[in-house]
Amino acid sequence: MKSIFKTLLLIALLSSCGNKSNNKTTHYIGAYRIMDQMVPYPYIVKQNSDSLYLFNNSGLLIDRTEGERIEKNKTIEFKEKHFNVLNRKKDNFYAFDLLDTLNFRPFKNGAPNPKNSVKFVQIQSDFDIDIRLLKNDFKNTIWEYNVVEDENSNPNKDLEIKQTIKVKEDSLYVLTDYYYQGIKTVSEFETKSYNLFKIDSICFLSFQKEENNPQTIFQIVEHRPGKIDLRDFSSSEIKDISYYKSSFKEDDYVNSISNANKYSNCFDGYQGEYYFGDDVTFNKGNQFLIDYVSKNAPITEDKSGYIIVQFTINCNGDVGHFGLIQMDRDFKKMSFQKEIIKHILSKVSTLNDFPSSYSQIEWLDYKDIHAFLMFKLHNGKIVDLCP
C-alpha cells in the first residue's frame, strides 16, 4: 500500500511540475534582421503554454495565435507575419518572415536565406518597475549618457560622444555633442517620438521616426530616481546603457539646440560605403574643400600627419555622426592640438553640397552613406586631401 501511495504521490508531483513549466511565460525582443547590416526589428514575441503574442514598438498587441510554439523548422503563422523558425537555441531564435520578401530576401529558388533572417533574444526582468513613476521621471528630467559604439557606428578613435535627451510633449530632442580633449567641437540634434510601455513585468523604451525607418526597442532593466538602466540588443554584442540626470538647465538646453546642426539619418539601420554605387564625392571637388577648410585655420604647432574625419551623408546631402582618427606620417597614432581639430570638424559639419546618397544597387539598399575626408598636414598646415 505504501508503495502504491508513493507512486501516486510521485506522479502527482511530476504532473504539478509539468504544469508549472507549461504555464511559464517567455518574452523575446526583436534584435536585428540581416546579419551583416543589423537593421532594428522593433517587435516583441510573448510565448505562453498555448499561445503566441506579437507586440509592436508601442507595446500594442497586434496579433495572437493559439496552439503554436517556437520550434526549429516550424512556421508561426500570425495574420501578417509567417515566421519560419530557422534556428532555435536556449536564449534566442532566428526566423524568416515568409510574407515579407522585400525585407526578408530569400534565395533565388525562394528558400529562406538565413543571412536575411531576424534574431529574437529571450529577456526577463529582475525588477518590477513602476511604469507610472518611470514615465513621470522620464518626462521631467533631462537625461545624458555616453554613446556606446557598435558595428553601425562610424570609425572613431579620438572623439568622446555624449547624448542628451529632453522630452517635449509627445516627442523628444536628442542632442549629440562631440568632444575632443575635453572641449566641445560640434553639436547636432534630431527629434523623435517615443514610447514607454510595459508587457507583463517588463518595461520597454522605443523611439519612433517614419514608419519605414525602424528604431530599436530597449529593455529597461532598472529605474531609480535620476537613473535609468537600459539594455540594447540591436548589435552583435548586447549593450548596457545608463541614462543619468543631467546638470543641464532648461534654458541652457534650449540654447544648445538652437546652436546645433539639425541632422538625422534617413534610415538608421544601415549605411552604405562611399565606394558602393554612384560617386558621392563632394560636388565642388577636393581643391574647393582644401581652400574652404584651410581658410583661417589655426597653426599652433609644426606637426605633420593625417586628420581623418569620419561622417555620414544622409539622403538630403547633410553630414553628421562624426568620428575622428589621427595618425602621423608613418600611420601611427598621434594627437594634434585641439584648436585645429575643432576648426576642421566645425568646417566639415557645414558642408552640404554632396550628391544624393540613395542606393542605386538592387541587391544593396541604403539611404545614407558612410564617408570620410583625410586631411594631410605638413608642419601644422593642410596641404592635401583624399579621397
Side-chain angles (χ1 to χ4, degrees), residues 253-313:
Y253 192 87
V254 172
N255 185 57
S256 294
I257 290 291
S258 66
N259 290 317
N261 299 324
K262 187 174 184 180
Y263 178 82
S264 181
N265 280 356
C266 298
F267 185 72
D268 286 298
Y270 173 72
Q271 290 79 57
E273 294 293 343
Y274 69 95
Y275 47 79
F276 280 132
D278 293 337
D279 188 0
V280 292
T281 54
F282 193 68
N283 286 332
K284 296 180 180 179
N286 275 16
Q287 189 57 52
F288 174 91
L289 284 172
I290 293 173
D291 295 340
Y292 177 74
V293 177
S294 296
K295 186 177 181 179
N296 300 322
I299 302 176
T300 58
E301 56 187 348
D302 59 0
K303 287 184 179 179
S304 298
Y306 303 94
I307 296 174
I308 307 169
V309 180
Q310 309 277 347
F311 54 94
T312 299
I313 306 169

Side-chain angles (χ1 to χ4, degrees), residues 143-209:
W143 301 96
E144 67 178 36
Y145 63 101
N146 290 335
V147 173
V148 181
E149 299 180 73
D150 59 29
E151 296 91 340
N152 278 333
S153 302
N154 284 330
N156 175 47
K157 297 291 185 182
D158 300 320
L159 290 178
E160 181 183 6
I161 306 174
K162 293 184 178 181
Q163 289 191 321
T164 318
I165 292 175
K166 172 70 176 71
V167 178
K168 54 163 193 172
E169 297 182 6
D170 59 347
S171 60
L172 49 77
Y173 289 111
V174 180
L175 175 67
T176 305
D177 293 318
Y178 299 87
Y179 289 85
Y180 176 70
Q181 295 184 358
I183 69 165
K184 184 162 62 175
T185 58
V186 292
S187 298
E188 65 195 29
F189 79 95
E190 63 179 325
T191 58
K192 299 181 181 183
S193 299
Y194 76 96
N195 303 287
L196 263 176
F197 59 93
K198 192 172 187 178
I199 299 175
D200 298 330
S201 62
I202 307 178
C203 288
F204 302 91
L205 169 65
S206 70
F207 298 124
Q208 181 64 49
K209 288 188 180 179

Side-chain angles (χ1 to χ4, degrees), residues 219-339:
Q219 181 192 357
I220 298 177
V221 295
E222 189 173 1
H223 167 239
R224 298 184 296 278
K227 186 173 185 287
I228 302 174
D229 294 325
L230 307 97
R231 191 154 292 153
D232 179 0
F233 299 87
S234 64
S235 58
S236 59
E237 298 292 333
I238 297 172
K239 300 182 296 185
D240 289 320
I241 301 170
S242 292
Y243 288 0
Y244 296 94
K245 183 177 181 179
S246 175
S247 58
F248 249 124
K249 302 299 182 184
E250 183 88 21
D251 292 343
D252 293 335
Y253 192 87
V254 172
N255 185 57
S256 294
I257 290 291
S258 66
N259 290 317
N261 299 324
K262 187 174 184 180
Y263 178 82
S264 181
N265 280 356
C266 298
F267 185 72
D268 286 298
Y270 173 72
Q271 290 79 57
E273 294 293 343
Y274 69 95
Y275 47 79
F276 280 132
D278 293 337
D279 188 0
V280 292
T281 54
F282 193 68
N283 286 332
K284 296 180 180 179
N286 275 16
Q287 189 57 52
F288 174 91
L289 284 172
I290 293 173
D291 295 340
Y292 177 74
V293 177
S294 296
K295 186 177 181 179
N296 300 322
I299 302 176
T300 58
E301 56 187 348
D302 59 0
K303 287 184 179 179
S304 298
Y306 303 94
I307 296 174
I308 307 169
V309 180
Q310 309 277 347
F311 54 94
T312 299
I313 306 169
N314 71 9
C315 63
N316 300 311
D318 301 321
V319 299
H321 290 189
F322 295 98
L324 177 68
I325 298 173
Q326 301 171 83
M327 300 182 297
D328 63 18
R329 297 294 288 272
D330 295 320
F331 305 107
K332 295 179 180 179
K333 182 177 176 60
M334 67 168 294
S335 296
F336 285 91
Q337 289 277 356
K338 59 185 71 175
E339 290 83 2

